[in-house]
C-alpha cells in the first residue's frame, strides 16, 4: 500500500490544490493532505478552519484523509508510514523552490520520494496568496476555490 502525504499551508485550499489532490488520489492507495503549521506564526486562517474547509471540499474522495502537523514533513511522513510526498508544480519558480525542498527532504530521510504533478492550465495562475488578496479587497473568489470554501470566506471576510 503506497501512502502519499500532500503537505502545504492550504491557507486557504484552492481549486489548484484540489486538482493535484484528485490526481494523486488516482495514483496512490491513500493520500493524506496535511496542513503544515508553525505555532509561532499565525496564518490567515486558523489551522482548524483550514482543515475543516479541506474536509468539506474532499468528502467525495474515499482514499483521502485530512490532517495537520507541526515540525519536519519527513518526520510526519515516517509517523504515518508514508514514503511519498506529493507536490504540485505551476511554473519554473515553483520548480526552483521544490527542487531544493525535495533534495533536502531526501537527505533528511533517504526513503522519501517526492512526486510532482503539473497543474492543469486553467489552475496555473491560482495561489492561496492571490485568493487572500482578492478577499481582503472585497473581490470575487468564486472561480478560485471550492464552492463551500467560497461561501465560508465570503461570509466571514468577503463581499
Ligand atoms: P506551501 O506553503 O508548502 O508552498 P501551499 O499551500 O502554497 O503550501 O502549496 C502546497 C502545494 O500545492 C505546493 O506543492 C504548491 O506548489 C502546490 N500548489 C499551490 N497552488 C497550486 C495550483 N494552483 N496548482 C497546482 N499546485 C499548486
Amino acid at each position: 500500500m503506497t501512502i502519499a502525504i500532500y503537505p502545504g499551508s492550504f491557507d486557504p485550499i484552492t481549486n489548484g490544490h484540489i486538482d493535484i489532490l484528485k490526481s494523486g488520489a488516482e495514483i496512490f492507495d491513500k493520500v493524506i493532505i496535511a496542513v503544515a503549521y508553525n505555532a509561532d506564526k499565525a496564518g490567515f486562517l486558523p489551522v482548524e478552519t483550514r482543515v475543516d474547509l479541506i474536509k468539506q471540499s474532499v468528502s467525495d474522495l474515499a482514499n483521502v484523509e485530512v490532517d495537520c502537523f507541526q515540525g519536519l514533513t519527513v518526520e510526519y511522513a515516517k509517523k504515518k508510514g508514508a514514503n511519498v510526498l506529493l507536490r504540485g508544480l505551476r511554473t519554473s519558480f515553483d520548480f526552483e523552490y521544490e527542487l531544493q525542498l525535495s533534495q533536502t527532504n531526501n537527505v533528511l530521510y533517504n526513503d522519501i520520494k517526492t512526486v510532482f504533478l503539473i497543474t492543469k492550465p486553467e489552475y496555473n495562475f491560482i495561489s492561496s496568496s492571490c485568493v487572500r488578496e482578492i478577499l481582503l479587497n472585497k473581490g470575487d473568489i468564486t472561480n478560485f476555490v471550492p464552492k463551500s470554501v467560497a461561501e465560508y470566506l465570503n461570509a466571514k471576510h468577503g463581499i
Side-chain angles (χ1 to χ4, degrees), residues 1-6 24 27-33 63 65 76-86 112-113:
M1 169 144 168
T2 308
I3 303 173
I5 306 286
Y6 182 26
I27 299 169
F28 303 107
D29 297 311
K30 180 169 156 184
V31 179
I32 304 172
I33 176 166
N63 60 337
E65 200 178 292
Y76 175 73
K78 277 184 205 168
K79 200 177 93 185
K80 290 287 177 179
N83 61 356
V84 173
L85 297 179
L86 175 64
I112 204 85
K113 290 166 182 66

Side-chain angles (χ1 to χ4, degrees), residues 67-81:
D67 196 11
C68 60
F69 70 97
Q70 283 193 78
L72 292 175
T73 305
V74 291
E75 292 306 325
Y76 175 73
K78 277 184 205 168
K79 200 177 93 185
K80 290 287 177 179

